[in-house]
Amino acid sequence: MSLPPDYSNEISALNREILKAQPSDVLQFCANFFLRRLESQRAEFLLSQQHSSQKGGGMAESTFPGNNPFGTSPSSGIITSGMHRLEEEEENDTIASPTASSFPRTNMENSQANKSGEGSFGNFGGFQASTNRSQGLKSQPPSAMDSQSFPSNYNMNRRTSVSAESLNPTSSLHDNWTPPYHQKTSEQQARLRAAVSGNFLFSHLDDEQSAQVLGALQEKPIPTKGIKVIQQGDVGDYFYVVENGAFDIFVNKSGKLEAGPDGLGTKVGSVGPGGSFGELALMYNAPRAATVTSTEPSTLWALDRVTFRRILMDSAFQRRRMYEGFLEEVPLLSSLTPYERSKIADALETRKFPAGTTIIKEGDVGESFFILESGEAEVYKRGIDKAVNRYKKGDYFGELALLNDAPRAASVISTTEVKVATLGKDGFQRLLGPVEGIMRRNDPSKLGMDDGVDPLAKGR
Amino acid sequence: MATAVVHKLLHHDRSNRESSSQPNQSSPPAQNDQDMAAMDRDRDEEKHMLAQWEVKRPLSPAQIAVDTNQKMVGHSSRVLRQEDFELIKTLGTGTFARVWLVRLTNPKDGDQNKVFALKILRKVDVIRLKQVEHVRNERNVLAAVAGHPFITTMVASFQDTDSLYMLLDYCPGGEVFSYLRRARRFNEPTSQFYAAEIVLILEFLHEKEGVAYRDLKPENILIDAEGHLKLVDFGFAKKVDNRETYTLCGTPEYLAPEVIRNTGHGCAVDWWAFGILVYEFLVGQPPFWDQNPMKIYEQIVEGRVRYPSAMSPDARDLISGLCTVDTSKRLGNIKGGAGAVKAHSWFRNIDWDALYHRKVQGPIVPHLRGPADTRNFDEYEPEPEGREEYGPEMRERWDDCFTDF
């Protein structure tokens, strides 16, 4: 007669443990092993119990964090009171996620009520119709948005990964890519600027990026009413701003536009001049969350994802390479590895000053170091009535501040509008440690010296 | 049937054979019974070697670093084919891949019970969804890291005309995700244990391999038979070294602000996601959430995390260090790297060395009926019929991309 399979499995698991641990007290080891097995099996069992007998209880936060018997740590046993509480814990796993076929109706209505026309809607960027749980969608209680309470309506489903087209900056340099440019009147530009100003994807752009993005928006006439500009469930590649005309927004509960008279689903809002829609398409290709149709002849501005992301990427890429190039010229930092240089380049902050600004002042305590990115500046020293030096693009100053707290040796005043890249001593040390340690690397007298003994060495 | 086999063999034989185990490298494709038999012997030997692999793991960091062609796992096999594996059950599906529990066909004595997870990717879908680059990255990264105690081991990879295959070790405990959702949240010791194993993974990937993982979440972390973690799905992993990269990828709730803003990103995105993960372990849901994905992204770039009042100060301090929008201030990315994370007081009870050597007992040891038990995996729909074919034109255009597979 053969042994039961469960038994064999336990024994072979025990054998593995014994082989690994080589215990001196075999009996105690085996006893401990089986106790642990019992403990984890029991915890699993209790969990499945709890899962099958859900109760509303409002205890969700009160058991946080330490008394959940699930996943007992090596040191803790099963706690009876914990089990009791677990049974009362609230489970709320019916809400759809951003990856489920839902549509944020409340948000939509809110923004429609807000008639400022600031491009405020467009918040139905998209969804992934991979899971179909919209039936179980509960309306969100207003208290969930309240700053003190935690939303207990989180989606419990597996979340789908997302990705956009792979963008490669090096090849774009070879291609000599320049973003498309579509002529606009200054009024049109101003309207577009206002339309996207409330959108966080645009609010971080610098002037140059912003000009490129606005230039790339392409006019798209919609000749008649009834044209479906985007269709729910379709792939999304474009973001739209309304120049003139009007559009209605429909959502079909099935998650996609269907054939037949009711195929559009329910009207959930409308959008007019200055409004925008479809911005999730600027991030990645997600199915459209709604259908948008024209209600009269209209004009749209359209921007596609690859153009948008490439504008952002190219300017970020060029700026980083420029900063790395500047940093290579600073003797104080000559011993940085390329990796360290790229970290510092990443941490440099861009700032702009109008002409006539005193960027650093002689005698002040120096805290930051500057690289002149564009424009010009002059250097003055007390007692000398004309400039002792001139700085132009790529020149750097104030680098001794990284080394010590000595007062600034001169003043630097901008003669034109200037852009500088700057980094504080604290920022530098946070990333790489004290600059003294880095300088010491190419000091031959320190070669062979144990870093651990040297109080100035970079601690690692 | 027999002709089909011969055809497959010929196809493989032509494709750039470089395996040193094959003595007659320059000889023409197998033409007679003798060559055929030699080929079959190779395959049987390889299958047996793969089946016995588990005995020898985990590898030390130095052993992992060995060139992938020399290492006993993670190589590109020129002899294996789908017929060598019997598909038992689907373990998971993605948009262009399906993972199966498999066992060897015609196993040698002692290999009968050995099971693997076989990830099958159809070339057509990989191309259609523009994932060629990601799939290549995945195979190369998995080959490079094979043998790490907490990363799924790619035992071998191979391909045929239509599909790419990655043979992975089977992790019978299922996803941390399932345990977390059932428990609603983990207590602090459980969270610390899992978080600590993840720190070891990230330390290894970033500092030894220069790899950014880019899709950290409970769904991608499995529990093995002994209760330790295995990181799976390296579809977005990329060797970045000290250069930043720009392609947006990840999971909405876990995306780092610099990914959303497209200013270039690197390994620091994993530390951000790690902060989100620890938060989700302790609270039961990630800190940034909305039904509308754009609202999630708006919250992320804003970067204000709210903590439940019951969260311990140490946990709060760790998460706020990790979930810092400014990468030059983000824990894990600043001076000290992963070491600074390990030194955080929330991890003060962790013995890092014992943890790497799997000497610490995991909080959940899955209860299993044998090595092929699939009770910890969900049921999945069968594969849809009538997929697009990988025709001659596509082969002409794309097959070069897959030669190393």
Side-chain angles (χ1 to χ4, degrees):
Chain A
M1 203 180 112
S2 68
L3 295 162
D6 275 4
Y7 171 81
S8 311
N9 288 328
E10 294 298 341
I11 288 299
S12 52
L14 176 62
N15 288 342
R16 278 200 303 272
E17 293 286 308
I18 296 246
L19 280 174
K20 204 160 72 180
Q22 307 280 350
S24 51
D25 185 347
V26 173
L27 209 55
Q28 184 66 55
F29 185 89
C30 295
N32 290 349
F33 172 84
F34 285 114
L35 270 176
R36 275 200 316 267
R37 292 288 306 124
L38 199 62
E39 186 179 309
S40 81
Q41 195 182 350
R42 215 172 130 71
E44 274 187 58
F45 170 75
L46 288 168
L47 267 174
S48 57
Q49 287 284 97
Q50 173 238 347
H51 202 59
S52 56
S53 63
Q54 293 175 15
K55 288 183 200 171
M59 296 277 291
E61 296 311 319
S62 64
T63 57
F64 178 86
N67 48 7
N68 180 341
F70 182 81
T72 44
S73 70
S75 57
S76 65
I78 292 181
I79 306 153
T80 330
S81 63
M83 274 191 258
H84 176 66
R85 287 207 191 177
L86 192 67
E87 277 166 33
E88 291 182 338
E89 204 174 304
E90 185 179 34
E91 286 266 329
N92 228 338
D93 56 2
T94 49
I95 300 303
S97 78
T99 54
S101 46
S102 67
F103 187 80
R105 182 181 299 220
T106 45
N107 290 338
M108 177 70 75
E109 279 161 6
N110 287 346
S111 62
Q112 282 309 298
N114 163 15
K115 284 265 176 192
S116 69
E118 265 225 304
S120 51
F121 108 80
N123 50 6
F124 60 89
F127 63 91
Q128 302 227 304
S130 57
T131 47
N132 219 336
R133 298 281 297 264
S134 51
Q135 306 295 349
L137 192 76
K138 282 186 193 170
S139 67
Q140 191 173 315
S143 66
M145 301 313 275
D146 158 333
S147 65
Q148 279 313 299
S149 73
F150 263 79
S152 58
N153 58 352
Y154 185 66
N155 156 62
M156 292 295 164
N157 297 327
R158 269 193 192 83
R159 293 155 291 199
T160 317
S161 304
V162 295
S163 69
E165 295 76 7
S166 86
L167 286 176
N168 195 345
T170 44
S171 71
S172 71
L173 286 184
H174 291 303
D175 296 351
N176 242 337
W177 182 82
T178 50
Y181 180 76
H182 302 282
Q183 197 69 45
K184 294 170 189 73
T185 67
S186 54
E187 291 81 32
Q188 285 174 330
Q189 284 207 19
R191 275 200 299 276
L192 278 173
R193 204 180 293 277
V196 299
S197 65
N199 185 317
F200 76 93
L201 282 178
F202 296 86
S203 58
H204 290 289
L205 305 186
D206 65 26
D207 294 348
E208 195 187 339
Q209 291 173 325
S210 185
Q212 287 188 335
V213 166
L214 291 182
L217 280 152
Q218 185 174 12
E219 191 172 343
K220 186 172 175 181
I222 306 293
T224 62
K225 68 180 254 183
I227 290 185
K228 298 185 187 72
V229 180
I230 65 176
Q231 305 195 0
Q232 192 183 359
D234 273 11
V235 298
D237 292 327
Y238 283 89
F239 161 71
Y240 296 98
V241 180
V242 182
E243 167 78 2
N244 58 55
F247 298 85
D248 282 344
I249 305 150
F250 296 88
V251 171
N252 188 316
K253 283 210 174 76
S254 75
K256 65 181 204 316
L257 179 72
E258 289 177 335
D262 300 324
L264 283 170
T266 322
K267 180 176 161 180
V268 297
S270 53
V271 56
S276 58
F277 52 90
E279 74 250 39
L280 188 60
L282 293 178
M283 305 246 338
Y284 45 83
N285 181 355
R288 298 290 197 185
T291 303
V292 176
T293 65
S294 57
T295 56
E296 60 184 66
S298 310
T299 309
L300 290 172
W301 296 103
L303 176 65
D304 71 284
R305 170 175 62 253
V306 173
T307 300
F308 177 72
R309 298 196 75 80
R310 202 153 175 185
I311 289 172
L312 267 53
M313 175 185 71
D314 279 0
S315 78
F317 181 80
Q318 278 156 24
R319 176 155 41 204
R320 278 170 184 263
R321 297 295 89 80
M322 176 173 75
Y323 286 175
E324 284 169 16
F326 290 161
L327 288 170
E328 275 182 62
E329 303 299 316
V330 183
L332 188 67
L333 305 177
S334 61
S335 64
L336 291 184
T337 64
Y339 177 64
E340 290 168 332
R341 203 150 31 234
S342 97
K343 279 210 151 168
I344 295 295
D346 187 28
L348 285 171
E349 204 182 313
T350 308
R351 290 175 68 188
K352 264 186 175 175
F353 298 109
T357 309
T358 304
I359 303 169
I360 63 173
K361 190 165 173 230
E362 185 175 354
D364 281 3
V365 175
E367 270 155 12
S368 303
F369 138 80
F370 297 86
I371 298 172
L372 198 57
E373 199 178 319
S374 68
E376 287 185 5
E378 286 178 337
V379 188
Y380 291 92
K381 276 178 100 67
R382 229 170 260 145
I384 303 172
D385 50 359
K386 62 182 179 53
V388 296
N389 204 349
R390 293 180 77 82
Y391 287 149
K392 54 184 188 335
K393 178 176 173 170
D395 288 337
Y396 56 89
F397 51 93
E399 74 278 12
L400 289 179
L402 298 178
L403 202 54
N404 54 42
D405 293 329
R408 300 289 198 193
S411 297
V412 177
I413 300 170
S414 57
T415 50
T416 66
E417 188 188 62
V418 297
K419 218 197 248 183
V420 295
T422 177
L423 181 66
K425 181 181 181 176
D426 52 340
F428 189 94
Q429 295 199 350
R430 214 167 33 232
L431 286 165
L432 302 182
V435 78
E436 291 91 333
I438 291 176
M439 285 180 69
R440 212 164 279 269
R441 283 185 205 159
N442 41 7
D443 181 346
S445 68
K446 300 288 189 250
L447 276 180
M449 191 164 163
D450 184 357
D451 270 3
V453 187
D454 185 348
L456 284 178
K458 183 174 167 247
R460 258 199 91 121
Chain B
M1 173 66 198
T3 27
V5 171
V6 174
H7 177 79
K8 280 263 161 60
L9 282 171
L10 290 177
H11 176 74
H12 271 283
D13 210 53
R14 266 200 303 273
S15 54
N16 181 27
R17 169 182 296 278
E18 52 197 4
S19 154
S20 54
S21 70
Q22 189 63 11
N24 49 347
Q25 280 186 31
S26 53
S27 69
Q31 280 167 336
N32 53 45
D33 290 350
Q34 205 185 338
D35 284 355
M36 280 289 297
M39 195 81 179
D40 280 342
R41 257 199 318 279
D42 275 359
R43 282 176 51 214
D44 285 346
E45 256 163 48
E46 180 150 347
K47 281 160 75 176
H48 182 61
M49 187 197 84
L50 299 179
Q52 295 303 313
W53 146 246
E54 192 184 23
V55 186
K56 285 148 192 147
R57 71 182 175 153
L59 300 180
S60 71
Q63 286 172 301
I64 300 171
V66 164
D67 179 353
T68 53
N69 290 324
Q70 320 272 310
K71 208 158 50 169
M72 39 187 313
V73 281
H75 66 289
S76 164
S77 171
R78 300 293 167 196
V79 290
L80 290 176
R81 44 200 176 105
Q82 194 188 316
E83 289 81 353
D84 291 323
F85 303 94
E86 177 197 343
L87 308 182
I88 305 172
K89 185 180 189 258
T90 300
L91 298 171
T93 62
T95 38
F96 56 94
R98 182 169 277 254
V99 182
W100 291 86
L101 179 70
V102 299
R103 72 168 72 91
L104 297 174
T105 51
N106 309 318
K108 289 202 175 175
D109 277 354
D111 298 347
Q112 289 92 341
N113 288 327
K114 181 63 194 172
V115 289
F116 297 96
L118 184 63
K119 182 167 184 171
I120 307 180
L121 307 102
R122 295 175 52 104
K123 290 179 189 173
V124 180
D125 296 331
V126 170
I127 293 162
R128 182 171 49 86
L129 294 158
K130 302 175 181 149
Q131 299 297 316
V132 175
E133 209 45 49
H134 285 156
V135 168
R136 284 160 52 109
N137 286 340
E138 174 171 26
R139 199 216 80 92
N140 293 338
V141 170
L142 279 177
V145 305
H148 189 276
F150 307 127
I151 296 176
T152 187
T153 303
M154 186 179 77
V155 186
S157 67
F158 56 99
Q159 65 174 307
D160 58 27
T161 323
D162 299 315
S163 303
L164 305 166
Y165 301 86
M166 286 183 254
L167 188 65
L168 308 161
D169 55 355
Y170 174 54
C171 213
E175 296 166 5
V176 164
F177 173 83
S178 309
Y179 294 89
L180 179 60
R181 287 293 179 267
R182 257 183 281 157
R184 182 71 201 260
R185 61 183 74 89
F186 291 152
N187 63 22
E188 212 156 25
T190 301
S191 304
Q192 280 159 349
F193 177 87
Y194 290 142
E197 293 202 340
I198 301 286
V199 171
L200 289 179
I201 300 171
L202 295 182
E203 177 179 46
F204 170 78
L205 287 177
H206 295 172
E207 295 172 17
K208 292 274 184 304
E209 299 287 333
V211 164
Y213 174 70
R214 302 199 291 180
D215 203 13
L216 198 58
K217 56 176 170 179
E219 289 90 327
N220 284 344
I221 307 165
L222 304 190
I223 294 184
D224 71 15
E226 293 163 17
H228 293 284
L229 300 186
K230 286 275 190 214
L231 190 62
V232 299
D233 200 341
F234 278 60
F236 294 151
K238 185 181 181 186
K239 193 163 174 59
V240 291
D241 291 324
N242 55 17
R243 265 298 156 87
E244 78 280 4
T245 183
Y246 291 88
T247 303
L248 182 150
C249 60
T251 295
E253 289 93 323
Y254 280 76
L255 291 181
E258 64 268 27
V259 175
I260 294 166
R261 292 176 49 190
N262 215 34
T263 50
H265 65 267
C267 292
V269 299
D270 288 336
W271 292 115
W272 172 279
F274 177 64
I276 306 288
L277 183 75
V278 172
Y279 187 102
E280 185 166 336
F281 281 169
L282 290 168
V283 178
Q285 63 184 55
F288 306 115
W289 192 72
D290 194 281
Q291 290 179 11
N292 173 0
M294 287 310 280
K295 296 271 177 210
I296 300 181
Y297 304 138
E298 205 168 345
Q299 293 174 35
I300 291 173
V301 296
E302 182 92 7
R304 278 215 351 261
V305 180
R306 297 205 328 264
Y307 301 94
S309 50
M311 189 185 283
S312 73
D314 278 343
R316 201 180 294 219
D317 187 73
L318 174 76
I319 294 166
S320 67
L322 295 163
C323 295
T324 297
V325 173
D326 183 347
T327 53
S328 73
K329 296 180 180 151
R330 187 178 301 162
L331 184 63
N333 191 50
I334 55 176
K335 182 175 174 289
V341 182
K342 289 160 87 172
H344 191 276
S345 55
W346 195 63
F347 287 120
R348 81 178 85 79
N349 294 327
I350 302 291
D351 176 345
W352 294 98
D353 199 49
L355 195 72
Y356 182 88
H357 293 100
R358 301 168 64 97
K359 287 179 186 151
V360 185
Q361 175 78 35
I364 305 164
V365 180
H367 187 69
L368 299 168
R369 290 201 190 95
D373 192 342
T374 58
R375 74 169 75 183
N376 293 309
F377 288 85
D378 289 347
E379 297 291 327
Y380 290 86
E381 305 269 316
E383 201 157 14
E385 298 284 322
R387 309 287 280 272
E388 195 187 339
E389 250 183 67
Y390 187 62
E393 295 120 67
M394 290 188 89
R395 207 169 309 156
E396 175 88 7
R397 170 140 184 240
W398 293 99
D399 245 12
D400 280 352
C401 301
F402 300 122
T403 45
D404 306 335
F405 212 91

